[in-house]
Amino acid sequence: MQDMRKLALLLRQIEDQLAVCMRCGMCQSVCPVFAETGREGDVARGKLALLDGLLQEMFQDPTGVDDRLMRCLLCGSCATNCPSGVKVLDIFIKARAIITGYRGLNPFKKFIFRNMLAKPHLFHKVLEWGSKFQGFFARPVNELLGTSCARFLSPLGHRHFHPLAREPLHRAVPSVDSPPGSSGLRVGFFPGCLVDNIFPQVGHTALKVLHHHGVGVFMAENLGCCGIPALSSGDTDTFNTLVRHNLQSLQSRDLDYLLTPCATCTSTIKKLWPTMAEGLLPEERLRVESLAERTLDISQFLVDKLKVGAFLQGEEGDRVPVTYHDPCHLRKSLGVFQQPRMILKASSRYLFKEMAEADWCCGCGGSFSLQHYDISESIGRRKRDNIAASGCGVVATSCPACMLHISDMLSQARDQIAVKHVLELYGECLEGENPA
Amino acid sequence: MVTGALLKEFTRLVGANNVFTHEADRLTYSYDAAVLTPVMPAIILRPTHSEALGEVVRLCHENSIPVTVRGAGTNLSGGTIPSEGGAVILTHALSRILEINEEDLYAVVEPGVITARFAAAVESKGLFYPPDPGSQAVSTLGGNVAENAGGLRGLKYGVTGDYVMGLEFFDSQGNLVKTGSRTVKCVTGYNLGALLVGSEGTLGVFDKIILKLIPPPAARKSMMATFSQVQKASEAVAAIIAQRIVPATLEFMDNFTLRTVEDYSKVGLPIEAAALLLVELDGHRAQVEDDAQKVESICRSSGATNLRVAQDDSERDKVWEARRTALSALAKLRPTVVLEDATVPRSKIPAMMQALEEISRKHALTIGTFGHAGDGNLHPTILTDRRDKEEWQRVEAAIHDIFDHALTLGGTLSGEHGIGLAKSHYLEKETTRATLLYSRRIKNALDPKNILNPGKIIGE
Ligand SMILES: Cc1cc2nc3c(=O)[nH]c(=O)nc-3n(C[C@H](O)[C@H](O)[C@H](O)COP(=O)(O)OP(=O)(O)OC[C@H]3O[C@@H](n4cnc5c(N)ncnc54)[C@H](O)[C@@H]3O)c2cc1C
Ligand code: SF4
Ligand code: SF4
């Protein structure tokens, strides 16, 4: 029998945070998982009560609580809406780490995280290898969306996924180190795994846009994952390794800001690196904090720092209608939602149109969609329906993870709607224009 | 735990996806929004259609399993805390709006429809369903009827019960009972609806609800006034009513609450004011303008120190943002929030506020008070930490004192949050021993096995 008292003692560190929940139940109105399942165990109130139950030693075995805790997108919708200000995401991430530390990491995840993710060099190699052979088991299904599906029975089920890029960003552009241009600014660029390996064109565009605006760029060689997949599975060891690795790589000289085109990376670096990375030396901690302070979503940088504004010339009728999906990690975690819209308004060939429920989660939630694809899919269909109802031929967003899931949903519904990163559209419109 | 043949039978009725018996799931249905000790049910059932709902009740009755119906579980009095070994029936999957009748101005709904969703559906047809409890984004209409929930518009438009035209519900044995109708008038049989509204799941399980709809007001106008004394604010309230003006909403906030709100949301409230009144008038445009001017001059002559009339929708939203954030702002100060609901005749508000001040001093507790000044329904909100045993004793003593004072002033235990488990032992105090016995006899006659939400309202 497992020693539940020991687990309860470990959970004491979140006891004060748990006590803040007044069980008002208001989180039911915003939780995407609860909206599909209607189960109290799926909404923040239920999960917080379960953690409280563990703390009170109400259970003989933590499995039931752990399973329910993992049925969560970590989208933060509950936290943003909570009248009592419960730090729901902090609690869930800490609790996952504590429970995983106690039960041990699932062997499959352990293998993937510790042997691959934690070793960026090897990780890149494996993915490149994968991109060569994927044609064997995947066949293209939607040209506009660039999605494929499995040729035969596979663990990916009936998903329509984006194959790995033939040439990842790090292969095309191993590193960048340019001095500040006309803007006088120099930034670090952190593409993130998904942009690097699946949507390298977003990375290329980002570099182009920064160059256009006269911004110097430093992109380190051999950057690692931001660590969120490991952390959300409770693997703090791999997370710590990755934070350290990246900190080392980003050891650069006078960066005014650190930019990412990935909402998830931005919020992880900004919010989780400073609070969750353990075992750092005091000097490293200071660097993490200062880096986190300077980390921005790339559209936030363009609008807030470079003052990119709406494009007002020309006939509206000539422009392609585009709508925008708010990634939870930008809007809910960081309160960034105006800037990406402004970038769309600054894109001369496009006409921005708001869709219904733009800030409702797309259902991806990273590894959540691997474990609970059925729920992910039903949340995604709601997003798909809203996109389709907007009548736009393009949906833009600011997170490659959302791009993957939304593409899957649109492709399965046989929609001819393109999924783009806001930057891609902006970059497209800069072509032929003179650099600032 | 429910096992064997009975579990099979439940599963056959509602489907395997709608039966939860895992201890982790049971724990998540052991509480509601009241600050009370959770109780684990034995089984959770989620019927997806009327017949299954009735059959589930029948089966529970046959097996003497106590039944607690649960909507969103947001009630503040323990109404959905189940009995040990009992069943929780979820209305979540009974959430269809069956009809919105624009000619005869009524709607028929299943009990699990979310209040705000319903109000929006009604609004999209150009009609109006006024009851708007603060929890409307999640609360269910079944829960609203069972608690007779109020809201901000109670003063002019009344509470949920005022909109119930008819009910279909299952009695304790699972038989369908019908009362009321789709007509404005109906005297067919006893007025069972009146008994069932506010019955907190103790007398029947709602299956369908017929709700009255009204035409929406053409215009609205909001304003905010601050006063240097609670007494003056209260005089203004009395004068408004005396002038035969009935605002849709007439809300109050004390100094502690408004300071907390200002700290939290920086809407520009004058933090030195002792009291804040928020007024919304609605109706025909000309009348609203007329009344607004009168209210303005009443507030001024009652000594309002500051007066702000919203000129457009965005200003109106700002005025109401202050009120909407009251609970969240207070809730952020301490871990545990005890939201009380004692109600007094509106002229007794200053006396009640005085009493609350004394209570907070006597028990050394932080109490912020806001609420519905127009109908005397105050929400003294005690901010505390339940884990601090000594402080919690003081909180319990303070709650006791609050009830005592409300009753002495001719008020009532609860304006809208219900009695549930939290206040059942005070019921006799407000009424008489005979009242309690009379109520128990009704319950006993209708539910001889005492399986419908036992212990709520009238105790065991
Ligand atoms: C933040 C917050 C603000 C609030 N603001 C207000 C307010 O302004 N005004 C107000 O009046 N209340 C308010 N409340 C209290 C609460 O929201 C209301 O009492 C609401 O009506 C409860 O609805 P529910 O769906 O959550 O019901 P539940 O809490 O699930 O149930 C309430 C009671 O109804 C019974 N019940 C539910 N469905 C049925 C059914 N089908 N048949 C028979 N019985 C049934 C239950 O057994 C229980 O006794 C607030 C609560 C919170 C947390
Ligand atoms: S909204 Fe916040 S306080 Fe309310 S139940 Fe959810 S987590 Fe708890
Ligand atoms: S983080 Fe998102 S999915 Fe998880 S409980 Fe909160 S709202 Fe639901």
Side-chain angles (χ1 to χ4, degrees):
Chain A
M1 184 162 134
Q2 286 166 306
D3 182 0
M4 297 301 291
R5 154 124 319 159
K6 208 173 112 201
L7 180 58
L9 284 175
L10 290 170
L11 285 163
R12 287 256 175 96
Q13 49 174 297
I14 55 171
E15 187 177 359
D16 283 344
Q17 284 181 303
L18 280 176
V20 179
C21 172
M22 56 177 175
R23 304 281 188 269
C24 68
M26 295 307 285
C27 38
Q28 293 172 93
S29 69
V30 291
C31 176
V33 178
F34 179 79
E36 302 303 322
T37 68
R39 295 173 67 151
E40 178 83 14
D42 286 338
V43 75
R45 176 171 70 168
K47 293 190 177 91
L48 296 165
L50 285 168
L51 289 172
D52 203 47
L54 272 188
L55 198 62
Q56 311 294 335
E57 298 171 49
M58 307 261 294
F59 300 105
Q60 307 286 314
D61 172 0
T63 314
V65 177
D66 197 11
D67 289 348
R68 282 158 189 76
L69 198 61
M70 297 307 279
R71 287 166 62 95
C72 170
L73 295 151
L74 297 178
C75 69
S77 306
C78 47
T80 311
N81 193 52
C82 172
S84 204
V86 178
K87 298 214 161 52
V88 188
L89 291 189
D90 265 25
I91 295 176
F92 288 172
I93 287 175
K94 280 186 196 151
R96 286 181 180 198
I98 295 169
I99 298 175
T100 305
Y102 173 79
R103 296 182 69 197
L105 190 62
N106 149 329
F108 174 71
K109 284 187 180 173
K110 188 164 176 174
F111 177 78
I112 301 278
F113 292 155
R114 306 267 163 98
N115 293 313
M116 287 172 51
L117 199 64
K119 299 174 181 155
H121 193 66
L122 180 66
F123 182 53
H124 288 158
K125 277 269 170 297
V126 173
L127 291 181
E128 282 171 28
W129 182 80
S131 84
K132 294 208 177 74
F133 290 95
Q134 59 192 347
F136 177 63
F137 61 84
R139 69 181 161 80
V141 281
N142 187 318
E143 211 178 319
L144 179 68
L145 285 161
T147 46
S148 297
C149 67
R151 285 191 195 276
F152 37 80
L153 222 56
S154 93
L156 290 168
H158 58 272
R159 289 177 175 80
H160 287 192
F161 51 89
H162 268 278
L164 294 163
R166 216 163 289 142
E167 189 182 43
L169 184 69
H170 68 263
R171 180 138 296 252
V173 189
S175 67
V176 181
D177 196 348
S178 59
S182 56
S183 71
L185 296 172
R186 187 171 130 90
V187 300
F189 182 61
F190 188 95
C193 304
L194 292 180
V195 162
D196 186 3
N197 296 291
I198 296 183
F199 301 109
Q201 73 277 16
V202 174
H204 289 295
T205 312
L207 294 173
K208 189 179 89 177
V209 167
L210 292 171
H211 179 72
H212 171 89
H213 284 288
V215 177
V217 174
F218 171 66
M219 183 173 83
E221 210 165 340
N222 200 25
L223 279 168
C225 162
C226 69
I228 189 69
L231 190 62
S232 59
S233 294
D235 181 5
T236 42
D237 283 357
T238 302
F239 176 74
N240 291 337
T241 309
L242 285 166
V243 172
R244 273 216 152 125
H245 171 91
N246 286 321
L247 206 55
Q248 207 81 64
S249 307
L250 289 165
Q251 186 95 289
S252 159
R253 313 78 50 163
D254 6 297
L255 298 181
D256 293 301
Y257 302 100
L258 178 67
L259 309 184
T260 98
C262 171
T264 306
C265 294
T266 312
S267 80
T268 304
I269 297 174
K270 237 179 146 52
K271 292 226 155 148
L272 300 176
W273 282 17
T275 52
M276 289 300 298
E278 285 161 6
L280 297 178
L281 304 170
E283 179 267 331
E284 288 174 315
R285 182 156 295 287
L286 283 179
R287 273 177 40 221
V288 164
E289 276 162 20
S290 123
L291 204 57
E293 263 171 37
R294 285 173 293 149
T295 300
L296 297 176
D297 164 66
I298 191 157
S299 64
Q300 196 183 5
F301 171 74
L302 292 174
V303 174
D304 294 354
K305 307 297 171 194
L306 299 184
K307 309 292 173 208
V308 168
F311 181 89
L312 298 167
Q313 298 151 28
E315 286 293 312
E316 285 201 348
D318 299 340
R319 304 198 200 171
V320 180
V322 55
T323 191
Y324 179 72
H325 159 72
D326 282 296
C328 297
H329 289 142
L330 265 199
R331 182 160 190 148
K332 284 144 199 162
S333 300
L334 303 173
V336 174
F337 59 95
Q338 279 158 342
Q339 297 91 330
R341 286 174 170 75
M342 183 52 82
I343 291 298
L344 293 177
K345 290 178 191 160
S347 305
S348 54
R349 290 181 212 152
Y350 292 91
L351 183 66
F352 171 64
K353 232 177 115 181
E354 196 74 64
M355 67 167 140
E357 303 188 318
D359 67 347
W360 191 260
C361 180
C362 71
C364 180
S367 45
F368 175 85
S369 73
L370 295 178
Q371 280 169 342
H372 301 287
Y373 187 65
D374 51 336
I375 306 176
S376 239
E377 209 180 5
S378 49
I379 301 171
R381 269 192 228 111
R382 176 166 173 173
K383 179 58 52 180
R384 180 262 153 200
D385 292 347
N386 280 319
I387 295 171
S390 76
C392 295
V394 187
V395 53
T397 186
S398 306
C399 182
C402 302
M403 287 169 70
L404 278 180
H405 195 60
I406 292 174
S407 299
D408 181 7
M409 295 301 115
L410 293 173
S411 182
Q412 287 196 41
R414 300 172 193 279
D415 291 313
Q416 289 298 316
I417 301 174
V419 178
K420 298 281 179 187
H421 193 286
V422 285
L423 221 57
E424 289 183 83
L425 305 182
Y426 180 67
E428 215 179 86
C429 300
L430 290 183
E431 262 153 38
E433 277 181 39
N434 297 324
Chain B
M1 279 283 283
V2 176
T3 49
L6 186 55
L7 180 60
K8 263 207 188 115
E9 191 61 7
F10 277 131
T11 310
R12 189 185 63 76
L13 283 176
V14 298
N17 276 341
N18 297 310
V19 179
F20 311 126
T21 53
H22 191 288
E23 57 175 353
D25 287 323
R26 289 188 287 125
L27 182 129
T28 61
Y29 295 101
S30 64
Y31 53 77
D32 52 30
V35 192
L36 292 171
T37 310
V39 178
M40 289 272 259
I43 189 167
I44 294 96
L45 301 159
R46 180 166 63 179
T48 53
H49 53 89
S50 293
E51 296 74 48
L53 177 63
E55 287 304 314
V56 162
V57 175
R58 182 186 307 281
L59 204 54
C60 287
H61 180 260
E62 280 168 12
N63 291 279
S64 304
I65 300 174
V67 166
T68 298
V69 192
R70 183 179 171 106
T74 67
N75 76 87
L76 293 156
S77 46
T80 42
I81 295 185
S83 301
E84 193 92 45
V88 170
I89 299 181
L90 305 179
T91 59
H92 183 266
L94 299 165
S95 57
R96 282 159 287 243
I97 298 174
L98 301 171
E99 184 184 358
I100 295 181
N101 192 309
E102 297 172 63
E103 286 178 357
D104 296 326
L105 300 187
Y106 70 81
V108 186
V109 298
E110 291 188 326
V113 173
I114 308 285
T115 315
R117 197 187 126 224
F118 176 65
V122 167
E123 195 185 326
S124 74
K125 305 259 178 190
L127 291 170
F128 185 32
Y129 175 71
D132 60 341
S135 51
Q136 60 177 334
V138 295
S139 74
T140 64
L141 291 168
N144 292 165
V145 176
E147 295 285 354
N148 198 5
L152 294 185
R153 304 188 184 113
L155 176 60
K156 177 169 177 180
Y157 291 103
V159 294
T160 305
D162 295 313
Y163 294 83
V164 178
M165 295 168 72
L167 285 174
E168 293 184 15
F169 63 91
F170 292 106
D171 69 9
S172 64
Q173 295 164 33
N175 303 312
L176 191 66
V177 181
K178 294 186 177 191
T179 178
S181 79
R182 289 165 167 74
T183 54
V184 173
K185 300 172 173 179
C186 172
V187 292
T188 313
Y190 287 135
N191 185 357
L192 301 179
L195 189 59
L196 268 289
V197 169
S199 62
E200 301 186 15
T202 61
L203 298 177
V205 176
F206 309 143
D207 176 44
K208 289 192 183 65
I209 305 165
I210 307 173
L211 292 167
K212 179 168 84 178
L213 307 176
I214 61 172
R220 296 194 161 102
K221 190 151 202 148
S222 298
M223 60 186 85
M224 183 162 88
T226 53
F227 297 84
S228 58
Q229 288 166 21
V230 176
Q231 180 66 37
K232 288 186 175 162
S234 194
E235 279 165 12
V237 170
I240 292 169
I241 307 284
Q243 288 265 335
R244 306 288 182 264
I245 298 171
V246 184
T249 308
L250 187 38
E251 293 289 298
F252 167 89
M253 227 184 257
D254 72 354
N255 172 267
F256 183 80
T257 308
L258 76 88
R259 263 189 295 140
T260 312
V261 169
E262 183 54 27
D263 260 1
Y264 169 64
S265 56
K266 311 268 181 286
V267 277
L269 302 178
I271 53 167
E272 68 291 349
L276 173 81
L277 284 185
L278 293 165
V279 190
E280 180 158 291
L281 299 152
D282 68 4
H284 285 298
R285 205 167 300 278
Q287 168 144 35
V288 168
E289 287 304 325
D290 209 34
D291 285 352
Q293 272 172 16
K294 282 191 201 149
V295 171
E296 214 180 313
S297 73
I298 292 170
C299 286
R300 286 199 200 288
S301 56
S302 310
T305 46
N306 190 308
L307 204 114
R308 221 156 85 187
V309 183
Q311 297 304 335
D312 53 36
D313 278 356
S314 86
E315 278 188 43
R316 172 174 176 260
D317 287 349
K318 260 196 210 121
V319 167
W320 289 104
E321 168 148 341
R323 171 62 179 84
R324 268 196 298 272
T325 48
L327 181 62
S328 359
L330 290 173
K332 289 192 174 73
L333 296 182
R334 296 287 306 276
T336 312
V337 180
V338 181
L339 186 58
E340 274 310 332
D341 183 36
T343 304
V344 293
R346 99 174 52 89
S347 63
K348 296 292 194 303
I349 288 179
M352 190 64 197
M353 286 303 299
Q354 178 97 37
L356 286 168
E357 221 161 86
E358 278 156 23
I359 292 168
S360 111
R361 215 174 311 120
K362 173 173 154 202
H363 300 284
L365 292 169
T366 311
I367 305 182
T369 301
F370 59 94
H372 319 303
D375 48 33
N377 184 184
L378 296 177
H379 293 309
T381 305
I382 309 176
L383 306 176
T384 174
D385 185 342
R386 201 182 177 195
R387 296 170 299 171
D388 181 338
K389 291 210 172 61
E390 184 274 328
E391 182 168 323
W392 187 249
Q393 278 179 356
R394 283 185 276 129
V395 171
E396 288 186 324
I399 295 174
H400 191 90
D401 286 358
I402 292 174
F403 290 154
D404 260 358
H405 274 91
L407 296 182
T408 316
L409 294 168
T412 179
L413 289 173
S414 172
E416 57 181 17
H417 293 170
I419 299 297
L421 294 172
K423 298 174 205 164
S424 59
H425 44 287
Y426 293 102
L427 190 65
E428 189 177 334
K429 202 164 183 182
E430 176 171 338
T431 56
T432 60
R433 181 79 193 149
T435 313
L436 188 62
L437 294 177
Y438 186 86
S439 307
R440 283 185 181 165
R441 282 200 295 273
I442 293 178
K443 165 81 170 157
N444 193 30
L446 296 174
D447 178 16
K449 281 187 162 182
N450 196 22
I451 66 149
L452 293 179
N453 220 5
K456 315 293 154 37
I457 310 181
I458 51 172
E460 297 260 11

